[in-house]
Amino acid sequence: MPTSNEIRRQYLDFFASKCGHTIVPSAPVVPHEDPTLLFTNAGMNQFKDVFLGVGERPYTRAVDTQKCIRAGGKHNDLDDVGKDTYHHTFFEMLGNWSFGDYFKTEAINWAWELLTKVWGMDPTRLHATYFQGNEAEGLAPDEEAKQLWLSHLPPERVHPGNMKDNFWEMGDTGPCGPCSEIHVDLTPDKSGASLVNGGDARVIEIWNLVFIQFNRDTDGSLASLPAKHVDTGMGFERLCAVLQGKSSNYDSDVFAPLFAAIQQITGAPAYSAKLHSAVDVAYRVIADHARCLTFAITDGAMPSNEGRGYVLRRILRRAVRYGRQNLNIAEPFMHRLVPVIADQMGDVFPELREDPGAIAAVIRDEEESFGKTLERGIELFEAACGLAQNKQITAADAFRLYDTFGFPLDLTQLMAEERGMKVDVAGFNTLMDEARQRSRGDGGQVDAKQSLFALVHQGDLPATKFVGYDANVADDAHAARVLVLNGPKYERATALRVGHDAAIVVDATPFYAESGGQVGDRGTIHSTHGAVFQVNDTIKVGDVYFHLGQLDQPNIHRDELPFTEEDPLLLEIDQPRRNKIMAHHSSTHLLNWALREVLGDHIAQKGSLVDDEKTRFDFSQGKALTAEEIAQVQKHVNEQIEAALPIYIDLAPQEEALKINSLRAVFGEKYPPMVRVVSMGAPVKDLLAEPGNDKWRRYSIEFCGGTHLKTTKDAQRFAIVSEEAVAKGVRRITAVAGDIARRAFDTAAVLAERIDAIRQEQPASLEQDLAALTDAVNTTTLPLLERASLRAGLDDLQKIIKEHRKTASKQAEGGVVENARKIADDAAGNVIVAMIDGADANTLRTAMDVIRKKRPEAAMMLAAAGDDKVSFLASVPEAMIGKGLKAGDWVREVAKVTGGGGGGRPDMAQAGGKNPAKLNDALTLAREFAAAKLG
């Protein structure tokens, strides 16, 4: 019986040695530069650009094992995991591809040979399906695939399939085509023909041969691709189960190490392979979800409240809940499975072994947080029961329990049944559908960009020549296409009006298109006939550049399109903006280098954004940087700037360039065979001549397609303006360079001088000065360390103000005491109603104590007035309370006159008002109210 590792190797070797396929590494499960996907959900994702005809590879045949996640979007198996024997959120997809090379004949014949000859599967247990066609879509039956299968199988084991089963689509849009599935009949008597595509585990699909021929556009239409491709996918876990004679994926050696670890950690009974056992369901859920989380976090995703992070948080909470509910384990446990996964799968996916401790820490943090959330969820359920009408939990409460606290609907229903209640299931399902639609992301932007993919793959848009590395103007370009945005799609323009969103494609451009973290260029496109197009952004699809913007000035000579293929155009980028972007981009490379110099080689880039205002750099780091570390990083970068290092940029073979000591490349990025090497301080030819030389560690060396300065000196200055956490184990530095950084340091120096001068002078306007300085420090771009120092100076000023207020308060309190004594001496009768000059809400109590000491038998109503408020304080002795005069009632009625309110105990109460002009009226009412109560 072959092991899972042997099965994987046999698959790769068969297609590499026999069929001439190139073995390629798996892409990350977090897709790069593809907004249409939450996760990599199929092996073909990394080749999507090839299928669309906008990208290429140095090979036409490929094979790999691709790590996949199906837990969101069109393909979502999350809710099925654990309940059956074959669904997973994370799985490996064995795949082989042809990019415009072989097609159906080779794909089907090789699949048959591998299954029956190499692995020795019983041919009488195999079934195949083919696409039966769809008249509404204009799609004919796939007779070619049918006939190919009939050369291997009898007619009763070759089955037609509908659009759902036999027309494969990656998502709502994108490459697609008919497919042919291979199923294995596991029934004892081989009688499972009727169960094909029936969702029955006794007859299970193991391999899907997809024939990519079409592209699904945003409007739902299908268009033929410029070339035909093969994309096959075989579930590795299912294959292992079949070849190892198991009836369940979870019974193979793929999951055995994890199940052993789960039992050891939780103390639960051993896994018994029962479908409906609560314990066994928990085993399957926990093992699957632990793998999914480990791979996703390793590849850069982090649990959060939105997008793919939200999906990961749901996955973790589902696993934890099953552990608590079915295995009775209350403490965090999921994180302890990370080392097991890294050890088991690290040979195939070495990235798992880079820092498993950091991955475990992220998961543990989430587990601990969810432990608290679970308790709050139970509290919400109790509250929902209390508010339920007709003994029914509302859909909103049930969905909130699910969405926020991880309670699945069946758990909420179970808890409700225990109380003799029901749940609004129909309403819950409606809210779930709405949430699924939201989880697909920003549909408008995605659809618009996807429409550009569709236009490119049609093949009538020429590649754009980028000349922007050496020039900021192109004066001999021509418009290859003018497009207008119509709803969610760009379409060929027949007219172009001022202010309407449009895109212009040209044959040559100096405009840099958004890529690698650097934003796209802005600028203008001029025609010889006087039309001006304002470019607000530049993006590219494959080799085609799209200049997005609006017509700013119409064609003054003609009414038709202002830009045509015959017209020579002048394209001019916003050079001052580009200069700022380049300063930030080159500084980002220096920052990446400096972080490793200060913190160590474990620092890895996790994302970046470079524009004309800042650079934002995310990197792996488990704790916040200290002030000393921030100062060192900033110093290192500025030293490199002051050194005026030449910035060398050259193309090099990727394989050779990767050998350069200390070179940095972003994990998950696809690099071409010839890569662009950006070196700050050392010529690229020297790096390639001595790639292993340790002295190259002194320089920033990276793969990069962006635009850069000629020398580091042109960056002028560099300032870190913030440092913060963006996820567990990931920190973010935001920094500025160039003139922005220089002004930031200058402004900080001016503010420091101003604070020091005010500290010494202590002018009468101190409080107003402090407010203005605080606003400046909080809202102005400043270096982080200088901002911290300035805030310390502001704290000193605040302390001075407090001392001033304290002195003034003591002086005021002396006057209040004197006024109170005089009122006590002069007052007649047993009710005292008076305003205390110079008092406020705080010193009224002092006045009350003075008067009460002299006149304990009297009821008192004291008032103080400011510019825009009034304060009242009332005191009533016990004897008068018995007669009906209560302080709370008294002060409440009096305060109403001044537009306020208040209250309190019968013996003591306070209130406030908003209109000091009504104070005399209020005091008159105070006397009348007391007189009425006391008779």
Side-chain angles (χ1 to χ4, degrees), residues 748-793:
V750 170
L751 290 172
E753 291 176 4
R754 179 63 178 150
I755 290 173
D756 189 56
I758 292 175
R759 184 189 293 113
Q760 295 182 40
E761 297 170 9
Q762 298 186 21
S765 60
L766 180 57
E767 292 200 35
Q768 294 92 328
D769 292 340
L770 176 61
L773 285 168
T774 300
D775 182 64
V777 170
N778 289 337
T779 60
T780 306
T781 298
L782 298 170
L784 178 60
L785 298 179
E786 279 71 6
R787 189 191 302 277
S789 177
L790 291 170
R791 284 175 173 162

Side-chain angles (χ1 to χ4, degrees), residues 809 812-813 816 835-849 862-874 891 901 908-913 919:
S809 179
E813 188 172 354
V816 167
M835 184 178 78
I836 308 296
D837 291 331
D840 56 21
N842 294 324
T843 53
L844 270 184
R845 289 190 176 274
T846 301
M848 179 74 74
D849 291 341
L862 304 183
D867 293 336
D868 56 359
K869 63 180 179 179
V870 183
S871 299
F872 297 99
L873 186 63
V891 78
M908 179 71 75
Q910 62 185 7
L919 181 57

Side-chain angles (χ1 to χ4, degrees), residues 474-760:
D475 56 7
D476 58 350
H478 297 79
R481 177 74 63 82
V482 180
L483 311 163
V484 293
L485 185 62
N486 183 11
K489 294 179 61 179
Y490 281 98
E491 299 175 341
R492 184 187 290 271
T494 56
L496 189 58
R497 289 177 289 176
V498 173
H500 284 218
D501 289 335
I504 293 181
V505 178
V506 298
D507 51 13
T509 183
F511 285 75
Y512 182 84
E514 178 183 351
S515 180
Q518 180 176 330
V519 297
D521 275 332
R522 298 174 184 170
T524 53
I525 299 177
H526 301 258
S527 80
T528 56
H529 301 286
V532 179
F533 185 83
Q534 192 69 39
V535 179
N536 299 324
D537 194 10
T538 309
I539 66 172
K540 65 178 178 177
V541 178
D543 294 325
V544 180
Y545 284 56
F546 294 90
H547 304 78
L548 309 181
Q550 295 87 30
L551 184 65
D552 185 46
Q553 182 177 324
N555 190 324
I556 59 177
H557 297 295
R558 51 173 92 165
D559 295 329
E560 63 265 26
L561 277 173
F563 304 97
T564 69
E565 295 181 27
E566 294 77 25
D567 296 334
L569 302 176
L570 171 66
L571 286 79
E572 187 171 11
I573 67 171
D574 182 343
Q575 187 62 45
R577 179 175 180 268
R578 164 78 83 81
N579 291 341
K580 294 176 183 178
I581 293 171
M582 291 193 299
H584 284 129
H585 201 159
S586 296
S587 297
T588 304
H589 283 221
L590 295 175
L591 171 62
N592 192 4
W593 168 84
L595 284 167
R596 297 197 311 277
E597 287 292 299
V598 174
L599 302 177
D601 286 339
H602 70 279
I603 297 299
Q605 181 176 341
K606 293 295 184 181
S608 67
L609 171 67
V610 177
D611 60 26
D612 55 318
E613 297 179 345
K614 65 187 176 302
T615 174
R616 195 181 70 199
F617 189 78
D618 297 348
F619 58 99
S620 56
Q621 170 72 355
K623 59 182 179 179
L625 273 66
T626 65
E628 181 181 0
E629 289 169 337
I630 292 171
Q632 287 180 326
V633 170
Q634 187 170 273
K635 179 183 176 185
H636 274 45
V637 174
N638 280 311
E639 285 176 346
Q640 296 287 78
I641 291 173
E642 292 165 8
L645 300 174
I647 298 178
Y648 298 95
I649 302 175
D650 210 344
L651 292 175
Q654 180 188 148
E655 188 175 348
E656 293 182 30
L658 286 170
K659 299 175 184 177
I660 298 172
N661 194 337
S662 81
L663 178 137
R664 306 298 287 187
V666 179
F667 173 73
E669 289 282 1
K670 294 195 291 273
Y671 295 106
M674 293 295 290
V675 291
R676 192 166 180 262
V677 181
V678 178
S679 169
M680 299 190 178
V684 175
K685 61 180 179 59
D686 293 349
L687 302 177
L688 296 172
E690 300 180 79
N693 199 319
D694 195 54
K695 68 182 179 182
W696 305 139
R697 292 182 59 87
R698 292 178 291 172
Y699 305 111
S700 164
I701 308 166
E702 296 189 30
F703 290 166
C704 181
T707 59
H708 286 276
L709 303 169
K710 298 297 183 184
T711 170
T712 58
K713 186 178 181 179
D714 293 337
Q716 300 182 48
R717 293 291 297 277
F718 175 83
I720 295 175
V721 298
S722 70
E723 190 273 342
E724 60 188 333
V726 291
K728 181 70 176 178
V730 179
R731 307 294 298 181
R732 170 175 292 169
I733 281 179
T734 302
V736 292
D739 191 55
I740 301 174
R742 183 186 56 76
R743 290 200 309 270
F745 281 110
D746 291 347
T747 302
V750 170
L751 290 172
E753 291 176 4
R754 179 63 178 150
I755 290 173
D756 189 56
I758 292 175
R759 184 189 293 113
Q760 295 182 40

Side-chain angles (χ1 to χ4, degrees), residues 145 150 165 297 356 434 439 536 873:
L150 287 174
D165 294 322
I297 296 170
E434 293 173 358
S439 73
N536 299 324
L873 186 63

